[in-house]
């Protein structure tokens, strides 16, 4: 008759080994043999959202589309030698660039930053300021007037104003970074960068239906006008200038 001396350490070690061994067997058996009378767990439903927004339409994208997670705002000045045909060349280049990037074609991004990423509902919106029309001797529409200084304003000239403006939006910050480089590269012969402002929302912004708070605790966009890209007229879409 063999009598083994049991100690607390030996008992705990043996118990742990037995427990782990049983767990391993149970896992293996459970993988191969489902429990009788227990239905297999159904996979959680996955909500797929489109990663791209159509470029072509009645109006520019990025105005009445869902609010993105990330945005970059670029302002440019016209170089002194710029003429109308130069600016037209930039607009044609940007049109092709926007259409490509919005469908996920990153070949125009020579920096390769956006390669391998998805558009993340990327949009590109372009606008002209009064300074561009004045420099090119184009008559301004009556509604296009310069904003006055408001009480309390202490504006920095270098970070204000501009002739040409570009808004770039995406839920993918990497894709957005490549787009910024591509936009600048396409315009460098004619336009001079003036300022850039980056914006972002919370991680759940792309799926949340409510307005989130900014870094100062304020709720953004509470008085935005509801509008779609298919609508016409009203305070957003101007039919005649």
């Amino acid at each position: 008759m063999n009598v083994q001396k049991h100690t607390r350490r030996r008992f705990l070690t043996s118990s742990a080994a037995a427990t782990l061994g049983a767990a391993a067997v149970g896992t293996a058996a459970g993988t191969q043999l489902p429990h009788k009378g227990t239905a297999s767990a159904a996979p959680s439903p996955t909500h797929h959202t489109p990663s791209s927004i159509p470029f072509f339409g009645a109006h520019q994208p990025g105005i009445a589309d869902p609010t993105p997670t990330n945005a970059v705002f670029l302002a440019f000045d016209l170089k002194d030698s710029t003429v109308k045909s130069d600016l037209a060349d930039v607009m044609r280049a940007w049109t092709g660039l926007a259409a490509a990037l919005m469908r996920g074609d990153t070949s125009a991004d020579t920096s390769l930053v956006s390669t391998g990423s998805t558009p993340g509902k990327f949009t590109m919106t372009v606008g002209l300021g009064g300074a561009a029309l004045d420099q090119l001797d184009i008559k301004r529409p009556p509604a296009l007037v310069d904003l006055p200084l408001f009480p309390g304003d202490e504006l920095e000239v270098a970070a204000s104003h501009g002739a040409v403006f570009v808004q770039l939006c995406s839920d993918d910050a990497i894709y957005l970074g490549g787009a910024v480089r591509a936009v600048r590269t396409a315009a460098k012969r004619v336009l001079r960068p003036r300022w850039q402002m980056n914006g972002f929302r919370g991680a759940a912004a792309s799926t949340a239906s409510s307005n989130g708070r900014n870094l100062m605790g304020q709720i953004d966009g509470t008085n935005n006008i509801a509008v779609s890209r298919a609508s016409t007229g009203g305070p957003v879409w101007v039919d005649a200038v």
Side-chain angles (χ1 to χ4, degrees):
M1 180 176 180
N2 295 328
V3 179
Q4 296 182 356
K5 185 178 181 180
H6 295 283
T7 64
R8 180 186 298 272
R9 181 188 299 275
R10 184 166 183 173
F11 174 77
L12 293 176
T13 303
S14 300
S15 299
T19 302
L20 290 175
V25 172
T27 301
T31 302
Q32 299 176 18
L33 301 175
H35 296 289
K36 293 182 179 180
T38 302
S40 300
S44 301
T46 302
H47 300 285
H48 295 284
T49 56
S51 63
S52 61
I53 290 176
F55 170 72
F56 295 99
H59 305 289
Q60 281 201 80
I63 299 173
D65 292 300
T67 307
T69 306
N70 304 283
V72 175
F73 304 91
L74 305 171
F76 298 87
D77 289 326
L78 302 182
K79 292 185 177 180
D80 295 337
S81 59
T82 300
V83 295
K84 295 179 184 178
S85 59
D86 293 330
L87 185 56
D89 289 341
V90 172
M91 293 300 167
R92 279 190 287 268
W94 278 353
T95 298
L97 176 63
L101 287 174
M102 286 182 63
R103 67 174 178 264
D105 179 0
T106 60
S107 59
D109 176 17
T110 56
S111 70
L112 303 180
V113 170
S114 59
T115 301
S117 54
T118 57
K121 293 181 285 187
F122 172 83
T123 60
M124 176 175 170
T125 313
V126 179
L128 295 180
L133 303 185
D134 295 343
Q135 184 172 337
L136 297 175
D137 197 24
I138 300 174
K139 184 180 179 180
R140 292 192 187 195
L144 184 55
V145 297
D146 295 331
L147 291 175
L149 288 177
F150 293 96
D153 278 352
E154 295 181 7
L155 302 180
E156 297 181 12
V157 176
S160 307
H161 313 296
V164 181
F165 304 90
V166 180
Q167 171 188 279
L168 303 171
C169 301
S170 176
D171 289 335
D172 189 322
I174 300 299
Y175 200 89
L176 201 56
V180 170
R181 291 171 179 258
V183 166
R184 290 187 181 277
T185 300
K188 64 181 180 180
R189 183 181 67 85
V190 177
L191 304 180
R192 181 172 55 251
R194 185 176 181 89
W195 53 261
Q196 174 176 332
M197 182 178 295
N198 300 340
F200 65 92
R201 301 205 301 160
S206 60
T207 57
S209 58
S210 58
N211 295 311
R213 295 184 181 275
N214 61 25
L215 295 180
M216 295 182 289
Q218 299 168 330
I219 297 178
D220 290 330
T222 54
N223 200 34
N224 284 355
I225 300 170
V227 66
S228 71
R229 284 181 67 184
S231 60
T232 59
V236 175
W237 310 121
V238 179
D239 294 331
V241 294

